[in-house]
Amino acid sequence: MIVDLTDAQLRRALPTKWGSTEEGTVPAWVAETDYQVALPILDAVGAAVADGMLGYAPGHDTLQAAELDAAFVAFAQRHWGWTLPTGRSTVVGDVVAGLRLVLETLAEPGPVLVPTPHYPPFREVVEVTGHELVMVEADPDADDAALDLAALERAIVESGARTLILCHPHNPTGRVHRRHELEALRDLTRAHGVRVVVDEIHAPLVLAGSPAFVPYLSVDESAVLVTSHSKTFSTAGLHAAQVITLDDGDLAAVRGVPHAQNGGASVLGMVAGTVAWNDCDDWLEALRERIAEQRDLLEKMLDERLPRARVRPVEATCLAWVDLRAYGVERPAEAARAHHVRVAEGSDYHPGLAGHVRVNLATDARRLGLVVEGLAAGVLR
């Protein structure tokens, strides 16, 4: 069910991940999968294009937006047992655009907390919305990549922050936050008047054997959720994500902005999202199985070629957070690039942190082997 694309196909299909990488170099840096998009999505989008559905994206109260909303509600019920009411989502172009919209319309004045390591656009979106960025650094040597609630509370008290951006499951560590952590975070943020804005774009990619995914809004109804089908189903270029809020006033505020503030969504993205949420469960299960196989293979190959590497357990996402500090190379991604492998530099996710890389697992076994060989060639001395 999971179809591996050739290098030539991928250079056309993924113009950022593959097209911007020189030929002969294996790209494992952007979080896109090297697989054919699920056939139900290809069929639905192809049919929409054949029908000439290339006009402006419809508004929030139209058929396509309602179908996307209902499809996500049904997906959440099937996969997480979460009963989410319909009609609570606002369509935006992508998750970062959704975060920007929420910060511009719902966030109180003041700093925004972002735990580190984190997805680099989190920093950018805080800055472009005029908020002060406060990074809360995690200990890279901690046994577990759990939320550091004590550090978060200190940062709240010292900075006066009233907003926190949470990534759940976490990018880049691949960790699923536990229910008790989320409940403790809810209690902490409520006590200090802090609103949580949660990015759950990786939620469908919780791997078998991992802790159960708990939607943050199911424990904290005052939070705001931003999510999309795009990461799991490889449809980022179609531009459709969802901002979900359970408060009527918040919903009205988000939907009431002018088009210039929220005008990046695509009708084809809505079509793709509706089919992804409704009709691709079997494909999704096969994808999770493939990523789990790739995770296990990466651990095996690192044990053989880079035995002093440390890998956080990948419970979710298609991403591995690899600590290579034992090899004494400050920028291992840069070193690997000279050996025809492109991975993401860890300091992009945790400024000032040396010796880490983020590796995308969602490829075939051969390419993953080349990634490990390139890393080994770059850091072994």
Side-chain angles (χ1 to χ4, degrees), residues 68-104:
L68 178 64
D69 173 81
F72 179 75
V73 167
F75 184 93
Q77 182 67 58
R78 289 196 312 276
H79 289 265
W80 308 316
W82 179 31
T83 303
L84 173 67
T86 57
R88 310 309 304 183
S89 72
T90 300
V91 182
V92 294
D94 55 41
V95 161
V96 173
L99 292 173
R100 179 174 183 174
L101 181 63
V102 170
L103 292 180
E104 289 175 339

mmCIF file of all heavy atoms in Angstrom, residues 68-104:
data_model
loop_
_atom_site.group_PDB
_atom_site.id
_atom_site.type_symbol
_atom_site.label_atom_id
_atom_site.label_comp_id
_atom_site.label_asym_id
_atom_site.label_seq_id
_atom_site.Cartn_x
_atom_site.Cartn_y
_atom_site.Cartn_z
ATOM 1 N N LEU A 68 -14.820 19.340 5.493
ATOM 2 C CA LEU A 68 -13.500 19.167 6.120
ATOM 3 C C LEU A 68 -13.626 19.107 7.634
ATOM 4 O O LEU A 68 -13.025 18.247 8.292
ATOM 5 C CB LEU A 68 -12.581 20.316 5.701
ATOM 6 C CG LEU A 68 -11.173 20.313 6.314
ATOM 7 C CD1 LEU A 68 -10.386 19.083 5.868
ATOM 8 C CD2 LEU A 68 -10.425 21.591 5.941
ATOM 9 N N ASP A 69 -14.430 19.995 8.198
ATOM 10 C CA ASP A 69 -14.656 20.021 9.641
ATOM 11 C C ASP A 69 -15.255 18.699 10.117
ATOM 12 O O ASP A 69 -14.764 18.080 11.075
ATOM 13 C CB ASP A 69 -15.590 21.178 9.984
ATOM 14 C CG ASP A 69 -16.018 21.186 11.432
ATOM 15 O OD1 ASP A 69 -15.238 21.670 12.271
ATOM 16 O OD2 ASP A 69 -17.136 20.706 11.733
ATOM 17 N N ALA A 70 -16.290 18.229 9.452
ATOM 18 C CA ALA A 70 -16.950 16.988 9.857
ATOM 19 C C ALA A 70 -16.022 15.787 9.710
ATOM 20 O O ALA A 70 -16.063 14.855 10.527
ATOM 21 C CB ALA A 70 -18.220 16.776 9.029
ATOM 22 N N ALA A 71 -15.190 15.809 8.682
ATOM 23 C CA ALA A 71 -14.264 14.695 8.475
ATOM 24 C C ALA A 71 -13.250 14.613 9.606
ATOM 25 O O ALA A 71 -12.919 13.518 10.085
ATOM 26 C CB ALA A 71 -13.555 14.848 7.132
ATOM 27 N N PHE A 72 -12.728 15.752 10.051
ATOM 28 C CA PHE A 72 -11.782 15.727 11.165
ATOM 29 C C PHE A 72 -12.466 15.272 12.446
ATOM 30 O O PHE A 72 -11.895 14.500 13.234
ATOM 31 C CB PHE A 72 -11.136 17.095 11.372
ATOM 32 C CG PHE A 72 -10.171 17.101 12.524
ATOM 33 C CD1 PHE A 72 -8.923 16.507 12.409
ATOM 34 C CD2 PHE A 72 -10.518 17.667 13.746
ATOM 35 C CE1 PHE A 72 -8.041 16.472 13.483
ATOM 36 C CE2 PHE A 72 -9.647 17.650 14.824
ATOM 37 C CZ PHE A 72 -8.404 17.049 14.690
ATOM 38 N N VAL A 73 -13.678 15.736 12.679
ATOM 39 C CA VAL A 73 -14.424 15.304 13.873
ATOM 40 C C VAL A 73 -14.571 13.782 13.878
ATOM 41 O O VAL A 73 -14.362 13.121 14.912
ATOM 42 C CB VAL A 73 -15.797 15.994 13.911
ATOM 43 C CG1 VAL A 73 -16.708 15.340 14.954
ATOM 44 C CG2 VAL A 73 -15.636 17.482 14.207
ATOM 45 N N ALA A 74 -14.911 13.207 12.739
ATOM 46 C CA ALA A 74 -15.068 11.756 12.656
ATOM 47 C C ALA A 74 -13.726 11.042 12.854
ATOM 48 O O ALA A 74 -13.660 9.995 13.515
ATOM 49 C CB ALA A 74 -15.675 11.377 11.307
ATOM 50 N N PHE A 75 -12.663 11.585 12.274
ATOM 51 C CA PHE A 75 -11.325 11.001 12.445
ATOM 52 C C PHE A 75 -10.927 11.008 13.913
ATOM 53 O O PHE A 75 -10.418 10.000 14.447
ATOM 54 C CB PHE A 75 -10.319 11.792 11.616
ATOM 55 C CG PHE A 75 -8.917 11.232 11.629
ATOM 56 C CD1 PHE A 75 -8.496 10.343 10.651
ATOM 57 C CD2 PHE A 75 -8.011 11.607 12.607
ATOM 58 C CE1 PHE A 75 -7.210 9.839 10.657
ATOM 59 C CE2 PHE A 75 -6.717 11.104 12.627
ATOM 60 C CZ PHE A 75 -6.312 10.214 11.648
ATOM 61 N N ALA A 76 -11.142 12.115 14.603
ATOM 62 C CA ALA A 76 -10.783 12.225 16.017
ATOM 63 C C ALA A 76 -11.544 11.217 16.871
ATOM 64 O O ALA A 76 -10.998 10.637 17.815
ATOM 65 C CB ALA A 76 -11.050 13.648 16.506
ATOM 66 N N GLN A 77 -12.805 10.988 16.533
ATOM 67 C CA GLN A 77 -13.597 10.007 17.276
ATOM 68 C C GLN A 77 -13.082 8.595 17.036
ATOM 69 O O GLN A 77 -12.915 7.811 17.989
ATOM 70 C CB GLN A 77 -15.074 10.112 16.868
ATOM 71 C CG GLN A 77 -15.986 9.164 17.619
ATOM 72 C CD GLN A 77 -16.088 9.506 19.084
ATOM 73 O OE1 GLN A 77 -16.476 10.605 19.446
ATOM 74 N NE2 GLN A 77 -15.728 8.570 19.960
ATOM 75 N N ARG A 78 -12.802 8.251 15.778
ATOM 76 C CA ARG A 78 -12.341 6.899 15.460
ATOM 77 C C ARG A 78 -10.977 6.599 16.068
ATOM 78 O O ARG A 78 -10.745 5.506 16.598
ATOM 79 C CB ARG A 78 -12.237 6.711 13.940
ATOM 80 C CG ARG A 78 -13.518 6.639 13.195
ATOM 81 C CD ARG A 78 -13.330 6.062 11.786
ATOM 82 N NE ARG A 78 -12.247 6.655 11.031
ATOM 83 C CZ ARG A 78 -12.340 7.776 10.327
ATOM 84 N NH1 ARG A 78 -13.482 8.454 10.319
ATOM 85 N NH2 ARG A 78 -11.305 8.227 9.635
ATOM 86 N N HIS A 79 -10.076 7.521 15.964
ATOM 87 C CA HIS A 79 -8.682 7.238 16.308
ATOM 88 C C HIS A 79 -8.338 7.548 17.761
ATOM 89 O O HIS A 79 -7.451 6.896 18.334
ATOM 90 C CB HIS A 79 -7.755 8.009 15.377
ATOM 91 C CG HIS A 79 -7.750 7.483 13.971
ATOM 92 N ND1 HIS A 79 -6.818 6.575 13.523
ATOM 93 C CD2 HIS A 79 -8.589 7.708 12.928
ATOM 94 C CE1 HIS A 79 -7.072 6.274 12.262
ATOM 95 N NE2 HIS A 79 -8.141 6.939 11.879
ATOM 96 N N TRP A 80 -8.983 8.530 18.350
ATOM 97 C CA TRP A 80 -8.597 8.947 19.697
ATOM 98 C C TRP A 80 -9.747 8.883 20.698
ATOM 99 O O TRP A 80 -9.558 9.204 21.873
ATOM 100 C CB TRP A 80 -8.039 10.381 19.656
ATOM 101 C CG TRP A 80 -6.951 10.557 18.634
ATOM 102 C CD1 TRP A 80 -5.908 9.696 18.393
ATOM 103 C CD2 TRP A 80 -6.809 11.627 17.683
ATOM 104 N NE1 TRP A 80 -5.124 10.176 17.362
ATOM 105 C CE2 TRP A 80 -5.649 11.357 16.910
ATOM 106 C CE3 TRP A 80 -7.536 12.786 17.420
ATOM 107 C CZ2 TRP A 80 -5.223 12.208 15.898
ATOM 108 C CZ3 TRP A 80 -7.116 13.637 16.407
ATOM 109 C CH2 TRP A 80 -5.969 13.339 15.660
ATOM 110 N N GLY A 81 -10.932 8.495 20.237
ATOM 111 C CA GLY A 81 -12.074 8.449 21.137
ATOM 112 C C GLY A 81 -12.477 9.820 21.648
ATOM 113 O O GLY A 81 -13.071 9.941 22.722
ATOM 114 N N TRP A 82 -12.182 10.852 20.857
ATOM 115 C CA TRP A 82 -12.439 12.233 21.272
ATOM 116 C C TRP A 82 -13.701 12.728 20.582
ATOM 117 O O TRP A 82 -13.773 12.773 19.360
ATOM 118 C CB TRP A 82 -11.246 13.097 20.906
ATOM 119 C CG TRP A 82 -11.377 14.556 21.250
ATOM 120 C CD1 TRP A 82 -12.073 15.101 22.285
ATOM 121 C CD2 TRP A 82 -10.781 15.658 20.546
ATOM 122 N NE1 TRP A 82 -11.956 16.476 22.283
ATOM 123 C CE2 TRP A 82 -11.155 16.845 21.223
ATOM 124 C CE3 TRP A 82 -9.956 15.748 19.420
ATOM 125 C CZ2 TRP A 82 -10.738 18.102 20.809
ATOM 126 C CZ3 TRP A 82 -9.539 17.005 19.005
ATOM 127 C CH2 TRP A 82 -9.922 18.164 19.698
ATOM 128 N N THR A 83 -14.689 13.086 21.371
ATOM 129 C CA THR A 83 -15.935 13.615 20.827
ATOM 130 C C THR A 83 -15.819 15.128 20.738
ATOM 131 O O THR A 83 -16.011 15.847 21.720
ATOM 132 C CB THR A 83 -17.133 13.209 21.698
ATOM 133 O OG1 THR A 83 -17.174 11.776 21.805
ATOM 134 C CG2 THR A 83 -18.431 13.714 21.094
ATOM 135 N N LEU A 84 -15.510 15.600 19.561
ATOM 136 C CA LEU A 84 -15.357 17.026 19.295
ATOM 137 C C LEU A 84 -16.614 17.516 18.591
ATOM 138 O O LEU A 84 -17.047 16.915 17.610
ATOM 139 C CB LEU A 84 -14.132 17.239 18.390
ATOM 140 C CG LEU A 84 -13.864 18.642 17.853
ATOM 141 C CD1 LEU A 84 -13.476 19.578 18.990
ATOM 142 C CD2 LEU A 84 -12.767 18.601 16.791
ATOM 143 N N PRO A 85 -17.225 18.599 19.062
ATOM 144 C CA PRO A 85 -18.415 19.090 18.358
ATOM 145 C C PRO A 85 -18.063 19.606 16.974
ATOM 146 O O PRO A 85 -16.953 20.083 16.733
ATOM 147 C CB PRO A 85 -18.922 20.215 19.267
ATOM 148 C CG PRO A 85 -17.746 20.619 20.096
ATOM 149 C CD PRO A 85 -16.902 19.394 20.265
ATOM 150 N N THR A 86 -19.008 19.518 16.065
ATOM 151 C CA THR A 86 -18.782 20.036 14.725
ATOM 152 C C THR A 86 -18.894 21.557 14.729
ATOM 153 O O THR A 86 -19.414 22.168 15.666
ATOM 154 C CB THR A 86 -19.806 19.459 13.733
ATOM 155 O OG1 THR A 86 -21.115 19.775 14.196
ATOM 156 C CG2 THR A 86 -19.646 17.951 13.609
ATOM 157 N N GLY A 87 -18.378 22.144 13.676
ATOM 158 C CA GLY A 87 -18.513 23.580 13.495
ATOM 159 C C GLY A 87 -17.563 24.423 14.305
ATOM 160 O O GLY A 87 -17.788 25.628 14.467
ATOM 161 N N ARG A 88 -16.466 23.819 14.778
ATOM 162 C CA ARG A 88 -15.528 24.579 15.619
ATOM 163 C C ARG A 88 -14.227 24.914 14.893
ATOM 164 O O ARG A 88 -13.320 25.487 15.495
ATOM 165 C CB ARG A 88 -15.183 23.788 16.883
ATOM 166 C CG ARG A 88 -16.344 23.240 17.660
ATOM 167 C CD ARG A 88 -17.406 24.273 17.968
ATOM 168 N NE ARG A 88 -16.895 25.430 18.672
ATOM 169 C CZ ARG A 88 -17.631 26.442 19.111
ATOM 170 N NH1 ARG A 88 -18.931 26.450 18.860
ATOM 171 N NH2 ARG A 88 -17.079 27.461 19.745
ATOM 172 N N SER A 89 -14.105 24.572 13.627
ATOM 173 C CA SER A 89 -12.841 24.799 12.930
ATOM 174 C C SER A 89 -12.944 25.938 11.932
ATOM 175 O O SER A 89 -13.995 26.168 11.327
ATOM 176 C CB SER A 89 -12.345 23.520 12.249
ATOM 177 O OG SER A 89 -13.124 23.214 11.127
ATOM 178 N N THR A 90 -11.817 26.621 11.780
ATOM 179 C CA THR A 90 -11.653 27.686 10.799
ATOM 180 C C THR A 90 -10.532 27.254 9.860
ATOM 181 O O THR A 90 -9.445 26.874 10.325
ATOM 182 C CB THR A 90 -11.287 29.005 11.496
ATOM 183 O OG1 THR A 90 -12.328 29.369 12.401
ATOM 184 C CG2 THR A 90 -11.068 30.118 10.474
ATOM 185 N N VAL A 91 -10.769 27.319 8.570
ATOM 186 C CA VAL A 91 -9.765 26.868 7.613
ATOM 187 C C VAL A 91 -8.736 27.970 7.394
ATOM 188 O O VAL A 91 -9.075 29.141 7.199
ATOM 189 C CB VAL A 91 -10.413 26.476 6.276
ATOM 190 C CG1 VAL A 91 -9.367 25.948 5.299
ATOM 191 C CG2 VAL A 91 -11.492 25.421 6.506
ATOM 192 N N VAL A 92 -7.469 27.569 7.410
ATOM 193 C CA VAL A 92 -6.338 28.460 7.142
ATOM 194 C C VAL A 92 -5.423 27.770 6.141
ATOM 195 O O VAL A 92 -5.611 26.603 5.804
ATOM 196 C CB VAL A 92 -5.564 28.804 8.440
ATOM 197 C CG1 VAL A 92 -6.426 29.621 9.380
ATOM 198 C CG2 VAL A 92 -5.088 27.523 9.147
ATOM 199 N N GLY A 93 -4.395 28.485 5.683
ATOM 200 C CA GLY A 93 -3.538 27.921 4.649
ATOM 201 C C GLY A 93 -2.648 26.804 5.125
ATOM 202 O O GLY A 93 -2.442 25.813 4.415
ATOM 203 N N ASP A 94 -2.080 26.942 6.307
ATOM 204 C CA ASP A 94 -1.219 25.906 6.871
ATOM 205 C C ASP A 94 -1.111 26.138 8.368
ATOM 206 O O ASP A 94 -1.677 27.117 8.895
ATOM 207 C CB ASP A 94 0.163 25.871 6.199
ATOM 208 C CG ASP A 94 0.883 27.216 6.223
ATOM 209 O OD1 ASP A 94 0.827 27.923 7.250
ATOM 210 O OD2 ASP A 94 1.520 27.564 5.207
ATOM 211 N N VAL A 95 -0.389 25.278 9.049
ATOM 212 C CA VAL A 95 -0.324 25.358 10.506
ATOM 213 C C VAL A 95 0.369 26.638 10.958
ATOM 214 O O VAL A 95 -0.060 27.281 11.928
ATOM 215 C CB VAL A 95 0.352 24.099 11.086
ATOM 216 C CG1 VAL A 95 0.844 24.343 12.504
ATOM 217 C CG2 VAL A 95 -0.631 22.930 11.081
ATOM 218 N N VAL A 96 1.431 27.036 10.293
ATOM 219 C CA VAL A 96 2.121 28.260 10.704
ATOM 220 C C VAL A 96 1.211 29.471 10.507
ATOM 221 O O VAL A 96 1.157 30.372 11.353
ATOM 222 C CB VAL A 96 3.452 28.415 9.946
ATOM 223 C CG1 VAL A 96 4.095 29.757 10.245
ATOM 224 C CG2 VAL A 96 4.408 27.291 10.329
ATOM 225 N N ALA A 97 0.466 29.492 9.393
ATOM 226 C CA ALA A 97 -0.499 30.570 9.196
ATOM 227 C C ALA A 97 -1.563 30.554 10.289
ATOM 228 O O ALA A 97 -2.026 31.616 10.751
ATOM 229 C CB ALA A 97 -1.147 30.445 7.821
ATOM 230 N N GLY A 98 -1.959 29.354 10.724
ATOM 231 C CA GLY A 98 -2.923 29.249 11.806
ATOM 232 C C GLY A 98 -2.372 29.772 13.118
ATOM 233 O O GLY A 98 -3.056 30.481 13.870
ATOM 234 N N LEU A 99 -1.127 29.446 13.410
ATOM 235 C CA LEU A 99 -0.496 29.967 14.623
ATOM 236 C C LEU A 99 -0.435 31.490 14.580
ATOM 237 O O LEU A 99 -0.703 32.168 15.582
ATOM 238 C CB LEU A 99 0.907 29.389 14.777
ATOM 239 C CG LEU A 99 1.007 27.891 15.072
ATOM 240 C CD1 LEU A 99 2.458 27.443 15.030
ATOM 241 C CD2 LEU A 99 0.391 27.556 16.426
ATOM 242 N N ARG A 100 -0.076 32.016 13.407
ATOM 243 C CA ARG A 100 -0.006 33.477 13.278
ATOM 244 C C ARG A 100 -1.377 34.104 13.520
ATOM 245 O O ARG A 100 -1.500 35.104 14.243
ATOM 246 C CB ARG A 100 0.524 33.860 11.898
ATOM 247 C CG ARG A 100 0.610 35.357 11.690
ATOM 248 C CD ARG A 100 1.277 35.725 10.377
ATOM 249 N NE ARG A 100 1.390 37.170 10.251
ATOM 250 C CZ ARG A 100 2.032 37.792 9.275
ATOM 251 N NH1 ARG A 100 2.620 37.081 8.319
ATOM 252 N NH2 ARG A 100 2.093 39.109 9.233
ATOM 253 N N LEU A 101 -2.401 33.517 12.932
ATOM 254 C CA LEU A 101 -3.753 34.051 13.105
ATOM 255 C C LEU A 101 -4.155 34.038 14.579
ATOM 256 O O LEU A 101 -4.727 35.013 15.095
ATOM 257 C CB LEU A 101 -4.736 33.234 12.274
ATOM 258 C CG LEU A 101 -6.199 33.668 12.318
ATOM 259 C CD1 LEU A 101 -6.368 35.075 11.749
ATOM 260 C CD2 LEU A 101 -7.062 32.666 11.558
ATOM 261 N N VAL A 102 -3.860 32.957 15.274
ATOM 262 C CA VAL A 102 -4.222 32.856 16.686
ATOM 263 C C VAL A 102 -3.453 33.877 17.512
ATOM 264 O O VAL A 102 -4.027 34.547 18.389
ATOM 265 C CB VAL A 102 -3.965 31.421 17.192
ATOM 266 C CG1 VAL A 102 -4.112 31.350 18.711
ATOM 267 C CG2 VAL A 102 -4.919 30.446 16.520
ATOM 268 N N LEU A 103 -2.157 34.026 17.251
ATOM 269 C CA LEU A 103 -1.379 34.997 18.018
ATOM 270 C C LEU A 103 -1.852 36.422 17.755
ATOM 271 O O LEU A 103 -1.821 37.270 18.654
ATOM 272 C CB LEU A 103 0.108 34.859 17.679
ATOM 273 C CG LEU A 103 0.794 33.560 18.133
ATOM 274 C CD1 LEU A 103 2.265 33.564 17.730
ATOM 275 C CD2 LEU A 103 0.659 33.349 19.639
ATOM 276 N N GLU A 104 -2.283 36.691 16.534
ATOM 277 C CA GLU A 104 -2.727 38.041 16.191
ATOM 278 C C GLU A 104 -4.112 38.360 16.739
ATOM 279 O O GLU A 104 -4.419 39.528 17.019
ATOM 280 C CB GLU A 104 -2.727 38.218 14.672
ATOM 281 C CG GLU A 104 -1.332 38.282 14.065
ATOM 282 C CD GLU A 104 -1.350 38.330 12.544
ATOM 283 O OE1 GLU A 104 -2.366 37.915 11.943
ATOM 284 O OE2 GLU A 104 -0.342 38.769 11.971
#
